[in-house]
Amino acid sequence: MTASITASRDRDLAAWRSARLNDLREWLPGLRYCATVYLVVRIALVVLGAAAWGLTSEHDSVGPDGSVPRLTNGWHNAITGWDKQDSLWFLQIAAHGYRPGNDSAAFYPGYPMLIRLVGYLCLGHLLLAAYLVSNGALLAALVILYRLTEREYDLATARRAVLYLAIFPTAFFLFDTYSEALFLLFAVAALALARRGHWWWAGLAGVGATLTRSTGVVLVAALAVEAVQQTITDRRGAGTGSGRRRSAARAAVRLGASVLPLAGIGGYLLFWQLRYHDWYQPVRLENSVWGRVFWTPWHTLWRGLVMAWQYGPDAGAGWWTLDFVLVAAGLALAVWVAVRARPVYAVYCWGSIVLFLCTAWPDRPLMSDPRFLVVLFPLVWPLARLGRRAGWHEGIVAVSAASMAIVGWLFLSTTLVF
Amino acid sequence: MIVRVSTESRDQRKRGGPGGSPPKGGPARRWARLPIPRDWVPALRYCAAVYLVVRVALFVLAAAAWGLGSEQPSSMPNGQPLPLTNGWHNIFTDWDKLDANWFLYIAEHGYSSQGGTGAFFPGYPMLVRAVGYLCLGHLLLAAYLVSNGALLAALVVLYRLTEREYDQATARRAVLYLAIFPTAVFLFGLYSESLFLLTAVAACYLARRGRWGWAGLAGVGAGLTRSMGVVLALALAVEAIHQTIEDRRGRAAGNADPAGRLGTAALRLGASLLPLAGTAGYLLFWQLRYHDWYRPISLQKIWWQRQLSLPWLTLWHGLSLAVRDGSLGDQAWPTFDFVLVGVGLAVGIWVALRARPIYAVYTWGGILLFLSEAWPARPLSSDPRFLVVIFPLAWALARLGRRPGWHEGVVAVSAASLAVVTWLFLTTMAVF
């Protein structure tokens, strides 16, 4: 009897191991492809960093404490040339934590917290830790995007989607020491897990997203829409009686999990309340320090267009036009997502777009918005679908890579791309 | 250019051709109405699409460079700075800088015994002036028409030549890679590179088809356009010998007339020397007009401070400066030159090993020629530009692009490099 139970356990264990191995094998092609794409772009960006240092007179970036880090000659600029603007803030928070008087509250804690943790493993080298966190997160995000796209479309679309995201015009922010890569990982993981029905894990990933960037709140709406859609699909196939009751219970679980991401943002505000008795500080700073005001999205867009047209032909004044062109391209792609993609992705894209268009800096209304677009991963799907047509794939790769090189160059050599 | 319709193309017509049979009322029917041999239509259609996309992208880049960069005014041949004014016109006028100024100046005023005009060969400015009459004197427009028309034609001939040497897929990749070559900006700009490329690739194509008289004439055009035309004479001579050897091998079993074979060989060799007539004609013009045939050559030293140097010394000096200045802020131009030339040399090795001798000689002759003259302060300056007319380099990449993933890699890296080099050309005075 005991022997037969042991044999049965062994069989179960072997079956479990075999299933896990099969799961891993399914992930391998995605991992191999994404790692290759990541490595090529990563090396190219390091070379771009060296070139921008050697071929331009770079401007100093002002640190969070108002100091100007001294720029020095050397090959290290291939890496450290990217450490500017928001990167400096994240590193400062990772090193010294939050302070009520230094405007650091506007930067959510997910990324700097992880930098600090990984920093211990890197013997206190925070820049290295920052690269490890953001680049590790990016690679993981690309692999999950690959699998998700394979599920929603097909393998060829998945390969193109990963490539297009890695060379998106503002994708260098994903490779840099910014929080975009980590947010992208949490966002794509949350939606992929929800699509597979792992709702609690999806909710947890959502918590990570809201701890990383304020736009994480949009995930709540997106996950809720997916929860409703899955419930409707269930009900259609549930029949009557107990099937419907089970369906209702599952719907409650899904909806409960979909509001979990609010815990991340709530936790961060609570931290500010408990530590500095000012839960509103992270929200207030957007206005008081960064000068962002609440505008309706169409007003922001209209002002962006007017200023783009007005200043476009003037030398050294094309920043409004740069913002507008990139945002307009993003909006055009988002229209495809709204019309052709599953509602969860449409809500995620448009919720985020509306959110960032609602907070504008009057002097440059679309400033930073091109960067915010890069985490809206469903935007690469219309391009990946378009890339099926002969010649379009090459066109998208060439235009996108060239745009990323130029926007990256501007980021490195000026202080006007945020 | 008259092209004889081959047996293959007649067969293709019967079965609908490589582009498929033209449906009634469709775009192919419109193409069929053009006076173009049908087997050239797919090449023209593909090259026109590639050309248009890159052309539009470069105009957009010019607008961006004006709006987002801090451009410096280029100095005109008369020493005056070219005035810069705000406006969307910069999309087109921004390209009128450095050598482009010289070409437009020569097209308008002709050569002068004073100044540095003699260093610029007459093919391009002469055509700009001729087309300028049709453009009611608008020389900038004429310069665009000549250089961009020549580029499109060069891409089409390259497509056909590559199709002949390799296959259609390689031809498509080669055209694309050449159009987004890191220094392809000079092919789209108001420089003489595209006209030279057209004459060079046409000469090689015609020689490969056995049209030696036409090949020699195309070579004359090359010799009139850039000094590198002399290399073409050498490459054509090698092809003439190669074809003669092939003929001998092919007819060894037959009973061919040895005297006839010798005559054909002499004809080929004679035609292959024709490109020298272009260069000689230009020097003769200087002798007859200004009694100084050496002026176009001496100006390279007097005006541009280029000195004769052994190719390996130029390279070594370039490498030393690249390593020394590479990590210095705003001083890495030697590194920029060396990286681009280094990549060109690496690709050139493939051509030497795998391509037909005519292309290996054209490639390495061109490379050795430009490495033989160096500006000591920046030994490899301009050399990345000179690489862009060495079209067989695109074949090495096009063959590499057959492997999965490599095609996207080449397209992405090349397009990104083109964007950055163009940006630097538009916003600085250090890329020429």
Side-chain angles (χ1 to χ4, degrees), chain B residues 326-369:
Chain B
S327 61
L328 306 180
D330 203 14
Q331 292 175 54
W333 298 101
T335 318
F336 167 82
D337 296 335
F338 186 82
V339 168
L340 291 175
V341 171
V343 171
L345 292 183
V347 178
I349 291 172
W350 183 93
V351 177
L353 296 177
R354 305 292 289 273
R356 197 174 163 89
I358 177 180
Y359 306 118
V361 170
Y362 175 68
T363 300
W364 282 96
I367 290 173
L368 290 177
L369 186 75

Side-chain angles (χ1 to χ4, degrees), chain A residues 42-259:
Chain A
R42 176 69 276 171
I43 292 168
L45 288 175
V46 169
V47 172
L48 193 73
W53 174 256
L55 306 175
T56 62
S57 40
E58 286 198 40
H59 295 266
D60 304 321
S61 185
V62 180
D65 55 357
S67 66
V68 181
R70 202 162 58 86
L71 299 178
T72 53
N73 280 325
W75 291 111
H76 61 83
N77 288 290
I79 312 269
T80 55
W82 296 94
D83 177 25
K84 60 201 303 184
Q85 319 237 46
D86 287 10
S87 293
L88 296 172
W89 281 94
F90 287 121
L91 288 176
Q92 150 119 347
I93 295 165
H96 306 292
Y98 287 102
R99 298 272 164 77
N102 72 352
D103 310 329
S104 54
F107 296 89
Y108 277 53
Y111 182 51
M113 217 158 62
L114 273 177
I115 294 175
R116 189 164 194 154
L117 275 179
V118 177
Y120 292 124
L121 304 177
C122 300
L123 308 174
H125 198 303
L126 289 183
L127 184 65
L128 173 63
Y131 269 114
L132 286 177
V133 171
S134 70
N135 282 244
L138 170 61
L139 181 56
L142 290 179
V143 175
I144 296 171
L145 174 65
Y146 183 100
R147 294 283 293 163
L148 179 63
T149 313
E150 215 179 358
R151 179 196 170 99
E152 301 291 357
Y153 301 98
D154 52 57
L155 182 75
T157 308
R159 292 169 71 93
R160 283 194 296 271
V162 163
L163 176 62
Y164 296 170
L165 183 65
I167 57 171
F168 195 80
T170 48
F172 60 87
F173 286 114
L174 296 174
F175 291 80
D176 199 0
T177 45
Y178 270 58
S179 62
E180 265 71 13
L182 189 63
F183 179 80
L184 176 71
L185 169 63
F186 285 131
V188 72
L191 299 189
L193 288 163
R195 289 288 289 126
R196 286 174 67 101
H198 299 309
W199 279 93
W200 291 114
W201 287 111
L204 270 181
V207 172
T210 48
L211 273 172
T212 307
R213 297 192 64 81
S214 58
T215 45
V217 292
V218 174
L219 276 175
V220 175
L223 290 175
V225 164
E226 177 63 16
V228 171
Q229 189 174 3
Q230 286 188 15
T231 305
I232 291 169
T233 311
D234 274 3
R235 285 176 72 93
R236 278 185 190 145
T240 52
S242 62
R244 282 189 172 245
R245 276 194 296 279
R246 274 199 301 275
S247 168
R250 278 200 297 268
V253 169
R254 287 171 186 145
L255 279 171
S258 67
V259 295

